[in-house]
Amino acid sequence: FTGNRAKLLELLATVHEAAKTSTVLEQMLSSGGIFQPLAWSSEQAYRFLKDIPVFEAAGILCRIPNWWKGGGAGIRMKVSIGDTPPAFVGMDALLRFDAKLEIGGTPISEAEARKLLAAADGLAFIKNKWVAVDPEKLQKTLDAYDRVKDLMENQGLSMRDALRMQLHPEAVPGGRDPDVDVSVSNGEWMASVIRKMENPDLPRGVRPGRGFRATLREYQKQGVN
């Protein structure tokens, strides 16, 4: 439509409408950049992606990457409890547990998360794919991760606490904050304990120990099991 001013204005009507609200689009119009291909930094791309609802409301069709369509990737802390048996049995027995971080379903190390936070401009290229990062949520999740690490290293987690976290993931340090996504899963040993608690007939043939000298009745054997 070169030279057809009326048609060009018609085509740009939706763009001018969106530019009333979008600073990104207003700058593209005023600079003339909208008429040519643009190379953006990740921060500029993030600003554009965040304004997509404004563009679509004005009638602009946007073709966007699939990884953005879900609103961007979230960061999550995954806590796994009881991979190995504790030293003794009981509700106060201390369990081993582990915490890991994920962004958009991709595991990342604590060092990677902190590096991402230091350079966060909205988008990050992690493990060969782009993910959207909310710096505020990332900071809150890392704070919760630090509290879980402190619990792991200095206090430990009792069987009682582990069962509480199974029912209420918000009991994990920092888990009450709606911006912190926490999931709790059972390690191999803990999962076997839960199965046996739900099905008391599963455990069989446990010996009470060499120092025990007596004959157990059947119901007593079940109790020991």
Side-chain angles (χ1 to χ4, degrees):
F1 299 103
T2 301
N4 188 341
R5 181 176 174 80
K7 190 61 179 179
L8 287 172
L9 287 173
E10 179 187 338
L11 287 172
L12 285 174
T14 53
V15 178
H16 280 285
E17 181 64 28
K20 294 176 182 177
T21 307
S22 170
T23 304
V24 175
L25 208 51
E26 191 277 328
Q27 290 172 347
M28 290 169 63
L29 276 173
S30 61
S31 67
I34 195 168
F35 298 108
Q36 55 192 304
L38 299 173
W40 282 342
S41 68
S42 58
E43 182 179 7
Q44 291 170 311
Y46 183 62
R47 289 172 58 207
F48 180 87
L49 288 167
K50 287 184 69 175
D51 276 0
I52 282 175
V54 175
F55 307 152
E56 293 180 333
I60 300 172
L61 177 64
C62 299
R63 297 177 63 184
I64 55 178
N66 288 331
W67 53 262
W68 179 264
K69 291 178 181 177
I75 181 163
R76 162 178 283 199
M77 178 171 62
K78 300 181 71 174
V79 179
S80 175
I81 300 172
D83 286 311
T84 56
F88 66 92
V89 177
M91 291 300 285
D92 295 320
L94 295 182
L95 302 177
R96 295 188 64 179
F97 65 105
D98 190 24
K100 290 183 172 61
L101 297 168
E102 285 186 354
I103 289 186
T106 301
I108 64 168
S109 67
E110 179 187 357
E112 288 173 322
R114 296 198 183 281
K115 183 178 179 181
L116 183 60
L117 183 65
D121 53 14
L123 291 180
F125 196 65
I126 299 177
K127 306 289 174 67
N128 295 318
K129 67 178 182 179
W130 285 100
V131 295
V133 179
D134 184 322
E136 184 178 352
K137 290 184 179 180
L138 177 56
Q139 180 65 70
K140 288 183 177 180
T141 304
L142 281 171
D143 290 343
Y145 181 79
D146 285 339
R147 291 198 289 274
V148 170
K149 275 207 318 179
D150 179 67
L151 182 64
M152 290 164 53
E153 295 169 2
N154 301 313
Q155 300 179 51
L157 186 71
S158 71
M159 182 79 150
R160 191 188 317 275
D161 292 333
L163 292 172
R164 185 181 297 116
M165 288 180 183
Q166 294 291 328
L167 297 172
H168 305 286
E170 65 271 17
V172 177
R176 295 187 182 277
D177 191 320
D179 285 338
V180 178
D181 186 2
V182 178
S183 69
V184 179
S185 62
N186 293 318
E188 184 177 348
W189 178 82
M190 187 67 177
S192 71
V193 170
I194 297 294
R195 284 196 303 271
K196 292 168 185 175
M197 291 174 69
E198 293 173 340
N199 301 278
D201 293 333
L202 286 179
R204 294 182 180 278
V206 177
R207 296 183 178 275
R210 292 182 178 180
F212 183 80
R213 299 182 181 279
T215 301
L216 298 177
R217 296 183 175 88
E218 193 60 35
Y219 75 90
Q220 292 172 322
K221 290 180 183 178
Q222 291 178 3
V224 172
N225 290 343

